Amino acid sequence: MSYETILVEVKQGVGIITLNRPKVMNALNKTLTFEVGQAVDALEKDEEVGCIIITGGDQVFAAGADIKEMKDLSFHELHMANFPYIQRDCWRAIDDARKPVIAAVAGFALGGGCEMTMACDFIIAADTAKFGQPEISIGTIPGAGGTQRLTKAVGKAKAMEMCLTGRMMDAQEAEHCGLVSRIVPAQELLETAFKTARKIASNSRPAVMMIKECVNMAVDADLGDGIAFERRNFAASFAFEDCKEGMNAFAEKRKPEFKHR
């Protein structure tokens, strides 16, 4: 499949999507968000892929939505179309992916760019990364999950302040408050993200998908329901051939050979 605004490659079981509008700092327009959704769906269906990375490269993730494309839209157009190129085609694909999706972020991840990173399962940030929801500065509000996901990630007080002022958060603050999983030097970002994704992809894919489902359950479920859900899935994992192989390999002190079933 050919794309206009992104680059896609598959390497050693990892699907890599790179936003590719460098002249406008990867601003998210209709084409780019639609193509990201297409690419995520295609990688989700690719049996050779065990993990997905979304990145903007080693300089910038995405500086926000393409305001020139959006500025003349009416309420009627947005409401009746359900803002399709953000909510349906792109964010839905990331949300619905059963395979883990990692955001590898360097430079600005602002507005829709920040929202895209938060839709991923976790974020690896370069030490140059900056996150923010600056929509208030142009008289509007976040429209692709910014007020919701940011609040869940960092808490009400910090999310409220950032959304009301448009203040950016650097990588160190983002790690401290739990928005990102870890920080690495900018020159090591893509290599680190790939190694992490490769490690995930080498594990039993049914077990990986099950863990993702259980962790996501924990976000909204109360502890009792979450524990019960985890226990049922733990028992169910014993039906996997990979579970038997993994345990036998451990007992025999050898590396397991997972067949992803």
Side-chain angles (χ1 to χ4, degrees):
M1 188 178 296
S2 61
Y3 300 98
E4 295 179 26
T5 61
I6 62 174
L7 304 174
V8 180
E9 65 174 317
V10 175
K11 183 169 62 173
Q12 297 180 46
V14 177
I16 305 169
I17 300 170
T18 304
L19 311 185
N20 189 37
R21 299 187 74 207
K23 292 182 180 180
V24 289
M25 300 180 72
N26 292 336
L28 308 183
N29 65 0
K30 183 175 181 178
T31 302
L32 185 147
T33 51
F34 178 73
E35 289 186 343
V36 169
Q38 281 189 312
V40 171
D41 282 340
L43 294 171
E44 176 77 359
K45 295 172 184 175
D46 189 337
E47 294 183 358
E48 298 302 312
V49 173
C51 191
I52 300 167
I53 296 170
I54 301 178
T55 186
D58 57 5
Q59 298 296 317
V60 63
F61 186 81
D66 191 330
I67 303 303
K68 291 182 180 180
E69 181 182 71
M70 296 174 59
K71 67 183 181 65
D72 295 324
L73 294 174
S74 67
F75 165 77
H76 178 265
E77 289 171 316
L78 287 172
H79 179 67
M80 295 305 292
N82 193 30
F83 213 172
Y85 56 89
I86 286 182
Q87 293 183 356
R88 186 182 66 213
D89 297 322
C90 181
W91 269 243
R92 174 207 50 78
I94 298 172
D95 283 339
D96 291 349
R98 298 183 69 198
K99 296 173 183 177
V101 183
I102 301 170
V105 180
F108 294 120
L110 305 178
C114 185
E115 289 166 319
M116 184 180 286
T117 70
M118 292 190 293
C120 298
D121 292 305
F122 62 92
I123 301 168
I124 298 176
D127 51 14
T128 60
K130 293 184 182 295
F131 301 86
Q133 299 293 158
E135 290 85 354
I136 189 66
S137 67
I138 57 170
T140 185
I141 72 170
T147 62
Q148 305 303 300
R149 286 193 171 96
L150 188 62
T151 303
K152 287 180 179 292
V154 306
K156 176 186 174 183
K158 193 173 289 288
M160 187 73 79
E161 181 221 358
M162 291 181 66
C163 289
L164 290 177
T165 66
R167 178 178 74 83
M168 289 187 289
M169 176 189 294
D170 65 20
Q172 289 71 31
E173 184 180 0
E175 183 186 39
H176 180 72
C177 67
L179 180 63
V180 308
S181 63
R182 58 174 157 152
I183 303 170
V184 298
Q187 64 271 22
E188 299 176 12
L189 173 66
L190 300 180
E191 180 184 1
T192 301
F194 178 74
K195 286 182 178 178
T196 303
R198 181 74 190 96
K199 174 61 177 174
I200 293 170
S202 70
N203 291 325
S204 168
R205 290 176 193 167
V208 165
M209 291 178 181
M210 189 174 278
I211 287 172
K212 175 172 174 174
E213 188 176 7
C214 286
V215 173
N216 283 335
M217 176 74 170
V219 175
D220 296 312
D222 65 41
L223 182 59
D225 288 343
I227 292 293
F229 184 77
E230 179 187 81
R231 285 173 178 163
R232 288 193 298 271
N233 278 276
F234 171 68
S237 73
F238 277 63
F240 297 154
E241 289 182 25
D242 286 345
C243 180
K244 302 304 182 188
E245 165 62 13
M247 291 185 177
N248 285 333
F250 179 84
E252 296 165 10
K253 298 182 179 180
R254 60 175 175 83
K255 185 177 180 179
E257 297 181 5
F258 294 128
K259 297 180 179 177
H260 307 301
R261 59 176 184 255

